[in-house]
Amino acid sequence: MYKQVYIVDDDEISVFLTEVTLAEEKFAMAYQTFLDPQQALQNLRDSLKGNSMEQVPDIIFLDINMPGMSGWEFMEALAPYQAHLQDKSSIYLLTSSIYPEEMDRAGKHPLLKGFLQKPLSESTIQQLKEQAYQTDDCSLA
C-alpha cells in the first residue's frame, strides 16, 4: 500500500471517481486531491524545499488538459526537482486524451512513469500495486 497519492485534475467528478476507485482497492493510506495544478505544484515544492521527503507523494496522477496550467507545464515546472523526485515519486498522466502524440511525448519524459486512461480500471490499479511491490516503491501497511 502506498503512503500518499496526489490526484491533480480540474474535473471534480473525475477526481471523485479516481479517489473512490483507488480507495476501494486499498491503494494508499492517504489521498490528496487538487483541482488547481498550481496548488499541487506549490505543495510539492514546499515539501521538496523543506526536505520533508516523507510528505512527498509516492504517486502523482496528473491530468493533461487543465485551465491555467496543463499537465505538461506542471511537468516542466518540476524539472529543477527531477533528481529528488525520480526515486521518490512515480508520476502518471491520467487522461481521457487518446492522441498518439501525447502518448509519445509522455514516453520520452524522464519523470513520467506512464500514460493511463481515465477512468482507472481495476486491472491498471493492480498492475501499479504489483510494480510497487516488485521495486519496493511502497511500504506495506
Side-chain angles (χ1 to χ4, degrees), residues 65-77:
N65 300 310
M66 296 179 285
M69 174 182 263
S70 72
W72 297 116
E73 292 167 325
F74 185 93
M75 294 305 299
E76 287 171 22

Side-chain angles (χ1 to χ4, degrees), residues 12 15 22 26 40 48 66-67 89 92 94 99 102 119 127:
E12 289 183 52
V15 167
L22 292 171
K26 296 178 174 63
L48 291 166
M66 296 179 285
S89 286
Y92 293 91
L94 178 60
Y99 296 110
E102 300 275 4
Q127 288 174 344

Side-chain angles (χ1 to χ4, degrees), residues 1 11-12 21 30 40 43 46 48 52 66 81 90-91 99 101 118 129-130 133:
M1 178 180 287
D11 180 2
E12 289 183 52
T21 303
N43 228 34
D46 289 347
L48 291 166
S52 305
M66 296 179 285
Y81 307 98
S90 296
I91 304 173
Y99 296 110
E101 306 85 39
K118 287 182 189 178
K129 287 168 73 173
E130 287 172 19
Y133 291 121

Side-chain angles (χ1 to χ4, degrees), residues 73-112:
E73 292 167 325
F74 185 93
M75 294 305 299
E76 287 171 22
L78 289 180
Y81 307 98
Q82 181 173 335
H84 298 291
L85 286 170
Q86 216 148 17
D87 294 332
K88 176 61 180 155
S89 286
S90 296
I91 304 173
Y92 293 91
L93 291 178
L94 178 60
T95 183
S96 54
S97 173
I98 54 170
Y99 296 110
E101 306 85 39
E102 300 275 4
M103 294 161 103
D104 289 342
R105 185 175 179 186
K108 295 174 185 169
H109 198 288
L111 279 176
L112 286 172

